[in-house]
Amino acid sequence: DIQMTQSPSSLSASVGDRVTITCRASQGISNSLAWFQQKPGKAPKSLIYAASSLQSGVPSKFSGSGSGTDFTLTISSLQPEDFATYYCQQYNSYPFTFGGGTKVEIK
Amino acid sequence: EVQLLESGGGLVQPGGSLRLSCAASGFTFSSYSMSWVRQAPGKGLEWVSAISGRDGSTYYADSVKGRFTISRDNSKNTLYLQMNSLRAEDTAVYYCAKLVEAWGQGTLVTVSS
């Protein structure tokens, strides 16, 4: 099985900050990587697929990059509505696996 | 707009069974693979199972293999998850998902005596 390691597991940031979250796969997954945002008590929301493609309706402050084993999610200017937990998921091969999540909190 | 609506969750005793359903709309259901993902209270996301759109091939996490069965009825645009031999550790919110694009609101399954 492919292991997905996210870092950091949590971070504190201020409104307006640029935030970067990383996700590392235990083996190459090409660009079969998605990012999701989840707020407390809510279902996850899809942000990015194919490592760098923005889902329809997702603001351009979110961006993704990477290929192979190393990936990043960047939020260019953190806003109050962005405080949430973020997950990566590989869908290159079954079983599909998620990273452990990164909780973004207000500093 | 893609919409996914789960149902069928509830309280069940250990060893019991439950069937979840997910009604899909807004896309050509038969053309897409579909997944179930769960989230235990206070924990992260765990992929559970998937079924392909074309040939109905199925895939499972080791934690549920042999106990859960995923299926679909393309004539009804509905995805199912039959859960047998339920354990306390299966307690979670179960989400239906169209791969990397859309999620349902989730349905809570509680396994407890």
Side-chain angles (χ1 to χ4, degrees):
Chain A
D1 298 0
I2 298 173
Q3 309 302 316
M4 304 301 293
T5 304
Q6 259 183 264
S7 61
S9 57
S10 65
L11 65 89
S12 294
S14 301
V15 172
D17 283 354
R18 180 183 180 90
V19 168
T20 298
I21 299 168
T22 66
C23 185
R24 174 165 289 176
S26 60
Q27 62 191 77
I29 59 169
S30 185
N31 69 337
S32 300
L33 191 284
W35 289 97
F36 305 100
Q37 176 194 64
Q38 189 179 35
K39 297 181 179 179
K42 300 295 186 182
K45 174 187 173 183
S46 298
L47 298 177
I48 287 171
Y49 65 98
S52 61
S53 297
L54 215 58
Q55 287 286 354
S56 176
V58 173
S60 58
K61 61 182 171 180
F62 293 97
S63 63
S65 65
S67 183
T69 60
D70 294 314
F71 303 86
T72 61
L73 172 71
T74 300
I75 309 171
S76 61
S77 177
L78 205 62
Q79 297 302 304
E81 63 270 20
D82 303 328
F83 291 94
T85 300
Y86 293 84
Y87 295 92
C88 62
Q89 182 196 23
Q90 69 82 18
Y91 54 97
N92 184 71
S93 62
Y94 290 108
F96 294 168
T97 41
F98 289 91
T102 298
K103 187 173 184 179
V104 178
E105 299 176 302
I106 300 173
K107 182 183 285 184
Chain B
E1 179 192 4
V2 173
Q3 292 198 350
L4 302 169
L5 184 62
E6 303 94 337
S7 60
L11 174 64
V12 61
Q13 292 188 339
S17 298
L18 213 54
R19 188 175 85 154
L20 306 183
S21 300
C22 171
S25 62
F27 64 105
T28 306
F29 180 72
S30 60
S31 296
Y32 291 90
S33 293
M34 298 293 295
S35 288
W36 288 98
V37 176
R38 69 184 181 184
Q39 187 170 37
K43 302 296 185 182
L45 300 172
E46 179 188 14
W47 177 85
V48 172
S49 183
I51 184 167
S52 70
R54 281 176 262 174
D55 62 8
S57 296
T58 58
Y59 308 88
Y60 298 95
D62 285 346
S63 57
V64 306
K65 201 173 294 183
R67 300 188 299 123
F68 290 12
T69 302
I70 191 172
S71 62
R72 64 193 299 159
D73 185 336
N74 289 336
S75 68
K76 296 182 178 179
N77 289 350
T78 301
L79 177 71
Y80 301 101
L81 186 67
Q82 177 67 43
M83 304 185 295
N84 298 332
S85 303
L86 282 162
R87 307 166 179 167
E89 55 264 36
D90 296 318
T91 294
V93 175
Y94 285 73
Y95 295 102
C96 165
K98 178 177 182 277
L99 183 65
V100 307
E101 179 179 347
W103 298 66
Q105 86 292 344
T107 187
L108 176 62
V109 172
T110 303
V111 184
S112 175
S113 54

